[in-house]
């Protein structure tokens, strides 16, 4: 399936640089992006990125933005669900809501719709270590058709900067979404320079 539209949910887990780089990469790859940040997601964006907001992020990259309580938003419906949904970063409480189907906001609803409509759902889990509850919730989401990725960069490509580490993880997210990219190098290929 070709990914033309992607919903990016932003929760209160640490990892705002992953979010921004993902949105940037998606728009560079000509994927239409929809953004929704939870209340804590907004706070973490601002804290980690010097005042950044989901509104500013949407404006910078030409993304459509929805409020977390807008359950009338188009991506909340199975008839207009995006091709892929990514929660980046995904807090363990959001993971639990998705695993149990007990969602309370638009991020949870879009993830739930992605699972029921058999669309791609990727959760970029940033928190660690994991308790048994977290691991069981990851297994539940995986068995339901989602993909859970830990925000754990590799080092075989000899990263030279924090940006390289972020790119490695974002590249894994794009791979899980089924999107061809050159955000990070592949094993055995020559190192590429960041644009």
């Amino acid at each position: 399936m070709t990914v033309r539209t992607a919903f990016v949910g932003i929760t209160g887990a640490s990892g705002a640089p992953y979010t921004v780089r993902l949105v940037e990469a998606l728009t560079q790859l000509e994927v239409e992006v929809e953004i929704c940040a939870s209340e804590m997601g907004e706070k973490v964006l601002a804290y980690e990125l010097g005042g950044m907001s989901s509104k500013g992020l949407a404006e910078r990259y030409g993304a459509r933005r929805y409020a977390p309580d807008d359950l009338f938003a188009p991506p909340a419906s199975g008839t207009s669900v995006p091709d892929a949904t990514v929660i980046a970063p995904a807090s363990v409480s959001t993971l639990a809501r998705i695993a149990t189907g007990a969602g309370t906001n638009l991020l949870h609803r879009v993830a739930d719709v992605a699972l029921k409509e058999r669309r791609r759902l990727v959760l970029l889990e940033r928190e660690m270590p994991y308790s048994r509850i977290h691991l069981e919730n990851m297994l539940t989401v995986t068995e339901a058709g989602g993909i859970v990725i830990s925000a754990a960069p590799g080092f075989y490509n000899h990263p030279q900067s924090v940006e390289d580490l972020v790119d490695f993880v974002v590249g894994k997210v794009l791979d899980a979404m089924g999107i061809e990219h050159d955000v990070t190098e592949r094993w055995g290929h020559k190192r590429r320079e960041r644009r």
Side-chain angles (χ1 to χ4, degrees):
M1 173 180 78
T2 301
V3 176
R4 294 183 210 81
T5 59
F7 179 93
V8 177
I10 307 163
T11 73
S14 178
Y18 295 122
T19 307
V20 173
R21 181 64 175 121
L22 176 62
V23 171
E24 176 185 49
L26 287 169
T27 56
Q28 288 172 345
L29 294 165
E30 299 182 358
V31 174
E32 183 181 325
V33 178
E34 300 171 319
I35 295 173
C36 180
S38 68
E39 181 181 344
M40 284 306 299
E42 291 286 1
K43 289 180 180 181
V44 172
L45 271 174
Y47 183 79
E48 293 186 349
L49 297 175
M52 170 70 75
S53 67
S54 66
K55 180 179 179 185
L57 184 62
E59 289 172 353
R60 179 186 296 179
Y61 295 107
R64 184 172 292 127
R65 178 176 162 264
Y66 298 106
D69 62 349
D70 185 4
L71 295 176
F72 277 95
S77 169
T79 60
S80 63
V81 66
D83 298 323
T85 297
V86 181
I87 311 295
S91 65
V92 291
S93 61
T94 295
L95 169 69
R97 292 279 185 182
I98 294 167
T100 60
T104 59
N105 64 27
L106 183 61
L107 283 77
H108 308 147
R109 172 63 186 165
V110 176
D112 188 54
V113 171
L115 290 175
K116 82 179 186 70
E117 296 294 329
R118 308 301 191 261
R119 300 293 178 97
R120 291 185 192 258
L121 171 64
V122 179
L123 304 182
L124 180 60
E125 193 56 53
R126 215 287 316 151
E127 297 181 51
M128 62 178 165
Y130 302 126
S131 73
R132 180 179 178 133
I133 294 167
H134 303 150
L135 294 169
E136 288 176 351
N137 285 337
M138 288 181 200
L139 180 59
T140 298
V141 168
T142 301
E143 288 177 341
I147 300 170
V148 180
I149 295 178
S150 293
F155 292 87
Y156 60 79
N157 58 348
H158 304 283
Q160 302 297 306
S161 66
V162 171
E163 288 81 12
D164 289 345
L165 298 173
V166 169
D167 279 357
F168 183 93
V169 172
V170 169
K172 290 291 188 183
V173 171
L174 293 169
D175 287 346
M177 294 173 73
I179 297 175
E180 290 187 31
H181 65 88
D182 65 352
V183 168
T184 191
E185 77 176 53
R186 304 285 179 186
W187 174 253
H189 291 104
K190 186 177 178 180
R191 179 178 170 74
R192 67 160 192 88
E193 296 300 318
R194 185 169 184 194
R195 292 183 231 166

